[in-house]
């Protein structure tokens, strides 16, 4: 798992040296939403608000996201991907997809099915409530 995370961080750094793996995760979330608040990002990923604030500042500085006034509540600002943000996220997604295909291309189908089932099981786990 450590090796997997290390490889993911290295890939993120090659795509855009100023951005972290967390930044790409936030970009992906924004792509799937119709805008959201920074506090929503922090709550969704269980991150500290200051961590998200630093990431959002870096993404804004890189012109990958922008703030827009919430049409339902003008006191709230929502974060949205910019066109350059969409492009870099698409590049990262394609790069990841290619890397996975290269690593798995020689695996027999039964190994791939077993691996996929383990990933589903691993990702489906939730911590017991106190």
């Amino acid at each position: 798992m450590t090796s997997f995370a290390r490889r993911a961080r290295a890939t993120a750094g090659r795509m855009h040296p100023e951005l972290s793996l967390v930044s790409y995760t936030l970009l992906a979330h924004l792509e799937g939403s119709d805008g959201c608040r920074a506090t929503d990002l922090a709550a969704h990923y269980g991150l500290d608000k200051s961590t998200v604030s630093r990431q959002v500042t870096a993404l804004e500085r890189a012109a990958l996201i922008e703030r827009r006034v919430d049409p339902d509540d003008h006191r709230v600002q929502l974060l949205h991907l910019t066109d350059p943000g969409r492009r870099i996220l698409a590049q990262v997604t394609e790069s990841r997809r290619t890397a996975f295909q290269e690593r798995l291309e020689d695996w027999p189908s039964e190994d791939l099915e077993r691996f996929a089932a383990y990933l589903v099981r691993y990702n489906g786990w939730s911590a017991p409530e106190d």
Side-chain angles (χ1 to χ4, degrees):
M1 294 302 285
T2 301
S3 178
F4 181 80
R6 190 177 302 124
R7 195 175 296 126
R9 282 191 300 273
T11 300
R14 284 191 304 271
M15 293 304 293
H16 197 296
E18 297 174 28
L19 300 180
S20 70
L21 183 58
V22 172
S23 294
Y24 288 109
T25 303
L26 299 181
L27 287 175
H29 186 85
L30 290 174
E31 181 184 47
S33 69
D34 188 26
C36 71
R37 299 175 302 167
T39 54
D40 296 334
L41 288 171
H44 180 78
Y45 289 105
L47 296 170
D48 187 74
K49 290 178 188 177
S50 64
T51 300
V52 171
S53 178
R54 283 191 302 276
Q55 298 298 322
V56 164
T57 298
L59 292 169
E60 283 181 302
R61 195 174 23 243
L64 301 178
I65 65 170
E66 64 186 1
R67 293 177 191 264
R68 297 183 199 161
V69 174
D70 184 343
D72 297 327
D73 184 348
H74 295 302
R75 299 169 297 171
V76 175
Q77 291 187 337
L78 300 177
L79 304 171
H80 291 270
L81 282 180
T82 61
D83 287 338
R86 288 183 199 290
R87 282 193 297 275
I88 197 161
L89 187 59
Q91 288 173 337
V92 169
T93 300
E94 184 57 34
S95 174
R96 250 193 231 153
R97 185 174 290 123
T98 299
F100 283 129
Q101 287 172 339
E102 288 172 358
R103 288 185 186 103
L104 301 174
E105 68 186 353
D106 295 334
W107 287 32
S109 61
E110 56 273 3
D111 286 354
L112 289 170
E113 290 170 11
R114 203 172 13 258
F115 182 59
Y118 289 146
L119 287 173
V120 167
R121 181 177 170 189
Y122 180 82
N123 288 327
W125 182 84
S126 59
E129 295 185 27
D130 293 332

